[in-house]
Amino acid sequence: MTESSANKLLNGDACRRTSSGQKASKNGFVKNHCLFQQPQKYRCPGEKNQHGAHNSSLYKRPFVESFEQTPLLVAVLTYVGYGILTIFGYLRDFLRHWNIGKCTMAREREEQKDFVPLYQDFENFYTRNLYMRIRDNWNRPICSVPGAKMNLVERVSPDYNWTFQHTGNVVQDVINMGSYNYLGFAENTGACADAAVEVTQKYGVGVGSTRCELGNLDIHEELEQLVARFLGVESAMTFGMGFATNSMNIPALTGKGCLILSDELNHASLVLGARLSGSTIRVFKHNNMQSLEKLLRDAIVHGQPRTHRPWRKILILVEGIYSMEGSIVRLPEVIALKKRYKAYVYLDEAHSIGALGSNGKGVVDYFGLDPTDVDVMMGTFTKSFGGAGGYIGGRKELIDYLRQHSHSALYATSMPPPVAQQIITSMKIIMGEDGTTLGADRLRQLSENTTYFRRKLCEMGVIIYGNSDSPVVPVMLYMPAKIGAFGREMLKRNIGTVVVGFPATPIIESRARFCISAAHTREMLDTVLEAMNEVGDLLQLKYSRRERAPPPIRWTSEESQLQD
């Protein structure tokens, strides 16, 4: 393979000589991808990376992601665990049917037995017999600011998590590793809180109207101008709810005769917006540019089903940081494909805005790209800015169109003034317009905390997912019994975590998700790591390198052409 041919390999993955037992091409090279469906061993930051985009002209920095394959024994035991829970679930349902066991779930009334069922049987089965056993790990009441530390209301359950009772006690100073408080602006003191209090006294806490009626305040106009300047785009508009920013604006952009290409791990708001639009939806494998390009080629060649007419428009939906995997979108390659096939890109930066990039401007800033190359820049204020709501930025023609056609803009109540001021103040701090270096210091602290925490977990031996620069750090638990046990054991050590299982994740990929914040001190992270070390030994979450399956070697269509 010539040097020019190697540089043309998509994603810029490094090539290496084949070892014994591996089938190679005629020139003796194999390709090792860093893709979700092709898991691989995690490489610590200090190790030589063979999966980064070093050779690609599209990338200006190494791109390191890891998604390890589930160990075979762990996968088998996980399926066995779910099987046992299912068997005993049917046994408990049998006992409940004969009134031997008590069930407080929603059920059909006797006079409605002949009606079409209102509740889906399997979902109820899963909730009754699996979710209820570990329900105490979710919906915990918080009675403080969700900052680096928080206070939790203590509760107990007399009936195995069917109902909860508050004891009146408060668990103090729990280290918060679950909130999306990436830059630490979720606080009740400081410049943001003072500015929000002042605006509350001037405007009140609510508007009571939509933007197009009597709910458009000068502070909303100021916020939109600031967002556009922060993003580096011509214009921007804001919304009071982040979820509705996606679900209500995508239908305004696409419709019948349009094609939406959606990443398989996109957020529910993107999925709902795509479905509401009435467009044809096709899903490509997560962060897999070969899968995306194949769909684009097929769309151009074949056109619409039956008629084969050209698609009215093709919209690619991606996220900046995928909140359940901790991976970062391969945006330079997405933009390259978008330009090649004359498509549009809709980028959801809910988790990446403020958390990535040297200036905190998200994944576009992280890769050093031109903001104008992204057609629709969407994000939320609920994470890094400590507020609420969302935004869309882009060309002035786009924003003017959405102001007239977006249901969220026309029918939703305006953003509360104190929330708008919270966002304005925090955004100016990030931009350095407050006259201090506080924003730059928080961005640097977040990056250092992320690198430190990921490196220590890697050295500990637990399996983690995602990009080396992502503040979202999933730690794999796998087995259903470990989901509840992990959350309870960490809380015993005064650490609040988020645990996630099926159906939010694949059945054998249950995990705990840590969200790193600039507000976390090194002492806090060391306390969490010490607790992780204890819980990891207790629940057997540590795996040696020998227990991990090597990544499979697979050839892409482009490489096959190079072989030929």
Side-chain angles (χ1 to χ4, degrees):
M1 181 184 293
T2 64
E3 182 179 355
S4 60
S5 298
N7 289 336
K8 290 180 181 178
L9 288 177
L10 197 58
N11 303 336
D13 293 318
C15 293
R16 57 183 172 81
R17 288 284 178 180
T18 181
S19 58
S20 59
Q22 292 179 331
K23 185 178 180 180
S25 62
K26 297 175 183 179
N27 51 31
F29 281 91
V30 294
K31 180 108 171 282
N32 205 354
H33 279 281
C34 181
L35 299 176
F36 186 75
Q37 73 281 5
Q38 300 172 9
Q40 58 186 277
K41 294 185 178 180
Y42 182 85
R43 295 185 178 273
C44 296
E47 298 181 15
K48 182 179 179 182
N49 168 43
Q50 292 183 340
H51 310 292
H54 294 293
N55 296 332
S56 176
S57 59
L58 296 176
Y59 290 86
K60 300 179 182 179
R61 57 184 299 159
F63 189 83
V64 187
E65 287 194 351
S66 63
F67 295 98
E68 287 198 32
Q69 187 175 7
T70 305
L72 179 60
L73 178 60
V74 175
V76 172
L77 292 177
T78 301
Y79 280 119
V80 170
Y82 275 104
I84 293 174
L85 285 173
T86 302
I87 292 172
F88 276 89
Y90 280 111
L91 176 60
R92 284 192 293 269
D93 278 354
F94 175 79
L95 297 177
R96 295 186 186 112
H97 178 73
W98 294 101
N99 295 324
I100 300 175
K102 183 180 179 181
C103 179
T104 57
M105 280 295 295
R107 290 182 291 184
E108 306 290 347
R109 293 183 296 177
E110 289 296 328
E111 58 268 27
Q112 291 182 318
K113 289 299 182 181
D114 294 331
F115 284 40
V116 175
L118 181 62
Y119 311 110
Q120 297 185 20
D121 182 64
F122 176 74
E123 290 184 1
N124 283 348
F125 175 86
Y126 184 87
T127 303
R128 286 193 304 269
N129 300 297
L130 283 81
Y131 171 74
M132 282 298 172
R133 301 174 67 86
I134 54 177
R135 185 180 169 220
D136 57 302
N137 286 279
W138 294 284
N139 304 318
R140 289 176 177 147
I142 299 174
C143 56
S144 69
V145 174
K149 290 187 176 182
M150 58 186 177
N151 300 331
L152 297 182
V153 176
E154 187 180 64
R155 61 181 184 176
V156 295
S157 177
D159 51 5
Y160 303 100
N161 295 338
W162 286 99
T163 60
F164 292 100
Q165 297 176 359
H166 296 165
T167 63
N169 299 326
V170 176
V171 183
Q172 301 281 345
D173 295 330
V174 177
I175 299 178
N176 183 5
M177 297 299 295
S179 295
Y180 304 134
N181 184 28
Y182 296 128
L183 293 181
F185 284 115
E187 50 193 1
N188 54 6
T189 59
C192 293
D194 294 341
V197 169
E198 183 179 347
V199 167
T200 302
Q201 295 173 344
K202 179 180 180 181
Y203 293 98
V205 295
V207 178
S209 182
T210 63
R211 291 284 299 274
C212 61
E213 294 174 337
L214 297 177
N216 190 30
L217 307 180
D218 56 349
I219 196 172
H220 295 138
E221 301 282 350
E222 179 186 356
L223 174 59
E224 291 181 340
Q225 294 173 8
L226 180 63
V227 170
R229 188 154 49 87
F230 179 68
L231 298 176
V233 296
E234 294 181 3
S235 184
M237 63 185 303
T238 59
F239 306 88
M241 181 181 179
F243 192 98
T245 305
N246 278 332
S247 60
M248 293 290 100
N249 282 288
I250 294 176
L253 294 173
T254 63
K256 188 176 181 181
C258 299
L259 175 65
I260 291 179
L261 302 180
S262 177
D263 190 292
E264 66 179 348
L265 298 181
N266 274 342
H267 189 261
S269 59
L270 289 170
V271 175
L272 178 60
R275 291 177 177 175
L276 291 176
S277 70
S279 305
T280 301
I281 304 171
R282 291 174 185 166
V283 178
F284 62 91
K285 295 179 181 178
H286 174 57
N287 248 356
N288 189 324
M289 297 302 106
Q290 288 80 19
S291 175
L292 174 57
E293 184 169 18
K294 183 180 184 301
L295 291 178
L296 285 168
R297 285 176 176 173
D298 291 343
I300 298 299
V301 172
H302 301 293
Q304 299 184 38
R306 294 189 301 275
T307 64
H308 300 292
R309 292 178 179 174
W311 294 99
R312 291 174 54 198
K313 70 183 75 168
I314 300 176
L315 183 66
I316 303 173
L317 298 184
V318 291
E319 294 187 49
I321 292 180
Y322 291 83
S323 59
M324 204 59 70
E325 282 68 33
S327 62
I328 298 176
V329 63
R330 293 175 177 265
L331 189 59
E333 299 166 63
V334 173
I335 291 178
L337 290 176
K338 162 240 175 178
K339 291 181 177 179
R340 183 184 305 172
Y341 295 98
K342 303 295 187 292
Y344 297 95
V345 172
Y346 185 109
L347 174 63
D348 179 347
E349 291 215 77
H351 288 269
S352 55
I353 191 69
L356 285 181
S358 58
N359 301 305
K361 297 182 180 180
V363 69
V364 176
D365 182 29
Y366 175 79
F367 287 113
L369 302 173
D370 186 352
T372 59
D373 286 337
V374 179
D375 302 286
V376 186
M377 298 185 68
M378 178 270 170
T380 62
F381 303 118
T382 56
K383 283 81 175 176
S384 298
F385 303 97
Y391 67 83
I392 285 184
R395 297 178 58 191
K396 186 176 184 303
E397 293 84 353
L398 168 71
I399 303 304
D400 290 343
Y401 175 84
L402 289 177
R403 291 189 193 280
Q404 301 297 324
H405 295 85
S406 169
H407 284 75
S408 185
L410 294 173
Y411 301 113
T413 304
S414 302
M415 180 184 294
V419 176
Q421 186 59 52
Q422 162 76 22
I423 300 165
I424 291 173
T425 307
S426 58
M427 190 172 292
K428 286 184 176 180
I429 291 175
I430 296 173
M431 298 170 70
E433 295 186 0
D434 62 331
T436 69
T437 61
L438 179 60
D441 293 340
R442 294 197 183 199
L443 289 169
R444 183 177 62 254
Q445 187 65 45
L446 175 62
S447 178
E448 292 176 357
N449 287 350
T450 298
T451 301
Y452 177 76
F453 194 74
R454 280 185 169 272
R455 177 169 57 83
K456 287 296 184 180
L457 287 179
C458 173
E459 295 172 356
M460 192 180 299
V462 298
I463 297 178
I464 60 177
Y465 274 8
N467 193 285
S468 58
D469 293 325
S470 170
V472 179
V473 187
V475 175
M476 305 311 294
L477 303 177
Y478 298 116
M479 301 181 188
K482 293 183 180 180
I483 300 175
F486 182 88
R488 297 180 190 117
E489 290 297 327
M490 293 296 283
L491 187 58
K492 287 179 182 178
R493 293 160 175 79
N494 238 37
I495 298 169
T497 59
V498 173
V499 289
V500 191
F502 179 82
T505 67
I507 196 168
I508 61 171
E509 293 183 6
S510 300
R511 65 198 68 176
R513 185 184 61 183
F514 293 95
C515 292
I516 309 302
S517 171
H520 290 142
T521 63
R522 186 59 59 89
E523 291 74 20
M524 291 180 189
L525 295 181
D526 287 337
T527 301
V528 176
L529 290 167
E530 182 180 352
M532 268 294 303
N533 195 33
E534 296 175 3
V535 176
D537 290 331
L538 180 65
L539 302 182
Q540 297 181 351
L541 299 178
K542 302 176 182 180
Y543 302 92
S544 66
R545 299 294 176 186
R546 290 174 296 178
E547 293 176 309
R548 305 185 185 184
I553 304 301
R554 298 177 183 175
W555 289 92
T556 65
S557 58
E558 183 171 347
E559 291 176 285
S560 300
Q561 295 173 5
L562 290 174
Q563 278 187 293
D564 296 338

